[in-house]
Amino acid sequence: MDLTYTEEEREFRARLRAWLGKALPELPARPSPDDWPGRRAYDAGWQRRLYDAGYAGLHWPLDAGGRGATPTQHLIFLEETERAGAPYVGANFVGLLHAGPTIAAEGTAAQRARWLPPVLRGDEVWCQGFSEPDAGSDLAALRTRAVRDGDDYVVTGSKIWTSHAEVADWCELLVRTDPAAPKHRGISWLAMPMDAPGVTVRPLRTLAGSTEFAEVFLDEVRVPVANRVGDENDGWRVTMVTLSFERGTAFVGEVVACRRTLARVARTARANGRWDDPVLRRKLGRLYGEFGALWRLTQWNVSESERSGGVPGTGGSVFKLAYSHARQELYDTAAEVLGAGSLSLEEEWTADRLSSLSYTIAAGTSQIQRNIVAERILGLPKGR
């Protein structure tokens, strides 16, 4: 991996930085965290600006509607937008980071033409319908049934922790299409319209007071067979493609955000007299090194994804495991520096700290990631 920048890449950075300098002051005020329709509109508006300027789907293949940019240009984009304080994907994250890349890799030409342009323009929002009350870490234990009826599947069951379901147009949905098959082999991946009859959304309130997750109840929902991505009963393999994006490249912007947060914590420690504590300085130094290494691992994962046809490999599990624990330590340290006075739920720091606790669970628990690293990278035997 070559970490130097070409003249073309330096010019790309300069153009992007100049565009951000003009575009960001024109944005409206951010809506309240509880105003999900407002947040969707805000995020969709920013996505449309990116699309019109040629920055939407920067690293997506040309035949998927993207610009076919190099991995390095993609990383430059993430660095510059994060440093400028630009909005991230927000309510669009499932479509842009999970479902969209999966459809680009596994979908038919008709599916790519139907679903990818609205994602890139910010016109349609997706949610993720994977986990169930009895199928979290053991995702293959899912019970939501899809029975074939002519040109439709009739879907019955429920999902939980469905991200942004209350403002979503589509759901990337895992269903069991062959209950007699071994649990990993009877699953299919469907694109379900959220306005279909029989879909009920019940928001869930998190520890931080947010409602970005929901329960979704499915009562004989009809989903066209044409909405299946991949073959029937081949959904587990397609799901692994989705999860490889979720673990391998979906968090890259957040690494940049964490590095910015770390710098802010260090400035605060200097300002409030905590910098004289050598233990704290060592902790901040170690975090600086860890996030620097995570950024290099991010660069490697994105480059490896490009070499493998756009799908990240198992290195994403290494990244996700290390990142989720480093993020928790970062916000624990932030709380230590800021003191008890910062622990109001109205404080951004507190919301971020509470959110960090979920990262060892989201996108596959740390225990699952350790198993993947042990078995698929290190070649160790499966545990009994």
Side-chain angles (χ1 to χ4, degrees):
M1 181 176 64
D2 185 358
L3 299 180
T4 60
Y5 293 110
T6 66
E7 182 62 30
E8 180 183 2
E9 289 162 350
R10 287 192 289 270
E11 291 175 357
F12 173 79
R13 186 188 294 275
R15 289 195 304 272
L16 173 60
R17 189 173 291 180
W19 179 80
L20 288 168
K22 295 178 181 179
L24 291 177
E26 298 174 352
L27 288 179
R30 291 179 183 266
S32 164
D34 295 330
D35 179 9
W36 279 106
R39 290 178 65 175
R40 172 184 166 143
Y42 182 87
D43 295 336
W46 175 246
Q47 185 62 29
R48 184 68 199 211
R49 287 174 183 263
L50 292 174
Y51 181 85
D52 290 342
Y55 291 116
L58 188 68
H59 61 297
W60 285 22
L62 293 172
D63 61 359
R67 287 185 57 182
T70 67
T72 302
Q73 287 175 322
H74 178 208
L75 294 171
I76 289 172
F77 172 82
L78 292 170
E79 285 182 320
E80 291 300 320
T81 52
E82 193 60 52
R83 285 172 178 166
Y88 194 42
V89 289
N92 298 307
F93 92 90
V94 174
L96 287 167
L97 305 181
H98 303 172
T102 301
I103 293 168
E106 297 289 334
T108 65
Q111 290 170 340
R112 288 153 68 100
R114 165 60 188 88
W115 286 312
L116 298 184
V119 167
L120 290 177
R121 292 193 301 264
D123 293 342
E124 293 181 345
V125 170
W126 285 65
C127 62
Q128 186 180 78
F130 282 15
S131 295
E132 298 181 5
D134 295 317
S137 296
D138 185 11
L139 181 59
L142 65 91
R143 298 179 182 177
T144 295
R145 292 282 304 277
V147 179
R148 182 79 176 259
D149 181 23
D151 292 333
D152 292 334
Y153 288 109
V154 180
V155 182
T156 301
S158 67
K159 296 292 178 177
I160 199 167
W161 309 123
T162 307
S163 306
H164 300 319
E166 59 192 287
V167 293
D169 303 292
W170 292 91
C171 177
E172 53 172 359
L173 184 71
L174 294 188
V175 295
R176 188 161 299 284
T177 42
D178 185 356
K183 65 180 185 178
H184 290 84
R185 297 181 183 175
I187 294 171
S188 297
W189 197 107
L190 304 180
M192 181 185 72
M194 290 296 289
D195 61 356
V199 177
T200 301
V201 176
R202 185 180 299 164
L204 295 168
R205 191 164 297 278
T206 69
L207 182 66
S210 176
T211 57
E212 71 262 33
F213 300 116
E215 293 179 284
V216 177
F217 299 93
L218 309 170
D219 183 12
E220 296 189 348
V221 179
R222 301 190 76 89
V223 179
V225 173
N227 288 18
R228 187 190 68 229
V229 175
D231 293 335
E232 186 171 281
N233 299 325
D234 191 33
W236 187 254
R237 183 191 62 79
V238 179
T239 301
M240 291 302 100
V241 173
T242 304
L243 293 178
S244 70
F245 285 114
E246 187 173 10
R247 296 164 184 166
T249 55
F251 288 125
V252 291
E254 296 190 38
V255 175
V256 181
C258 283
R259 295 176 77 184
R260 188 175 62 183
T261 297
L262 179 60
R264 186 178 171 190
V265 172
R267 289 196 300 270
T268 303
R270 288 189 176 96
N272 66 11
R274 295 300 311 280
W275 192 253
D276 294 335
D277 183 348
V279 175
L280 176 63
R281 289 203 307 273
R282 283 196 294 270
K283 186 180 293 185
L284 291 172
R286 184 176 68 254
L287 283 168
Y288 182 86
E290 287 187 12
F291 281 105
L294 280 167
W295 183 244
R296 293 307 188 197
L297 181 57
T298 294
Q299 292 175 307
W300 187 89
N301 281 338
V302 172
S303 299
E304 184 66 17
S305 168
E306 182 71 14
R307 286 192 292 269
S308 63
V311 178
T314 53
S317 290
V318 178
F319 168 84
K320 198 272 175 179
L321 179 63
Y323 169 72
S324 59
H325 289 272
R327 183 185 175 97
Q328 285 192 7
E329 186 176 359
L330 168 62
Y331 282 100
D332 282 348
T333 305
E336 179 183 345
V337 170
L338 293 168
S342 69
L343 299 182
S344 165
L345 281 178
E346 283 71 37
E347 289 283 346
E348 178 185 353
W349 291 98
T350 304
D352 286 342
R353 187 189 185 198
L354 293 175
S355 173
S356 75
L357 300 176
S358 70
Y359 278 73
T360 51
I361 300 172
T365 66
S366 292
Q367 291 82 356
I368 294 294
Q369 305 314 313
R370 290 188 181 99
N371 285 343
I372 292 172
V373 171
E375 296 169 11
R376 302 182 192 175
I377 298 178
L378 301 178
L380 299 177
K382 290 188 176 184
R384 296 181 178 177

